[in-house]
Amino acid sequence: MRPGWDEYFMQIARTVATRATCPRLAVGAVLVREHRILTTGYNGAPRGVAHCTEAGCLLVNDHCMRATHAEANAIVQGALHGVSLVGSTAYCTHQPCVNCSKLLISAGIAKIVYDVPYLDAIAAELLAEAGVAIVPFSTVEGRA
């Protein structure tokens, strides 16, 4: 059966997550506008820096400082290649943290569809204040 658009883009986000190089969590993000993929991102080290899989994680307060989050990497790809993300939808394997939520807001993302919840009251408050729709994938119509 042919998947709907939400299912299609979430499946791509899951595939993008398989490129993650931080063993703590594989996360993928796909930024889309008008059914066209603009950018993708997964969690991994910045360009020119050894990945966690090569050098190990740099943990501070149980967070890996070596890895850049998937959503941030997807936004950076837009900046590197001159792709405007205004009005786009982010399909994320995991609900964005507060820092990624702020970046998504500032990049002009209009909607976030996420699969795995990550409860962050401050992120939710900021997204709501900025008018960014945040939708659990489990509630999307026509998903598999």
Side-chain angles (χ1 to χ4, degrees), residues 30-97:
V30 177
L31 304 185
V32 175
R33 187 175 49 241
E34 297 175 6
H35 301 142
R36 299 191 69 184
I37 296 172
L38 303 173
T39 64
T40 65
Y42 53 86
N43 53 326
R47 184 181 309 223
V49 175
H51 290 286
C52 298
T53 52
E54 301 163 347
C57 294
L58 288 172
L59 296 179
V60 175
N61 296 325
D62 202 35
H63 291 280
C64 183
M65 297 294 110
R66 183 176 297 282
T68 301
H69 289 187
E71 302 89 340
N73 274 326
I75 292 166
V76 167
Q77 288 305 307
L80 279 172
H81 300 289
V83 177
S84 172
L85 304 174
V86 173
S88 63
T89 296
Y91 289 87
C92 305
T93 58
H94 294 69
Q95 187 173 353
C97 69

Side-chain angles (χ1 to χ4, degrees), residues 9 12 35 40 50 65 72 76 78 93 100 109 113 126 139:
F9 291 123
I12 293 171
H35 301 142
T40 65
M65 297 294 110
V76 167
T93 58
C100 288
I109 305 303
V113 179
L126 293 173
T139 65

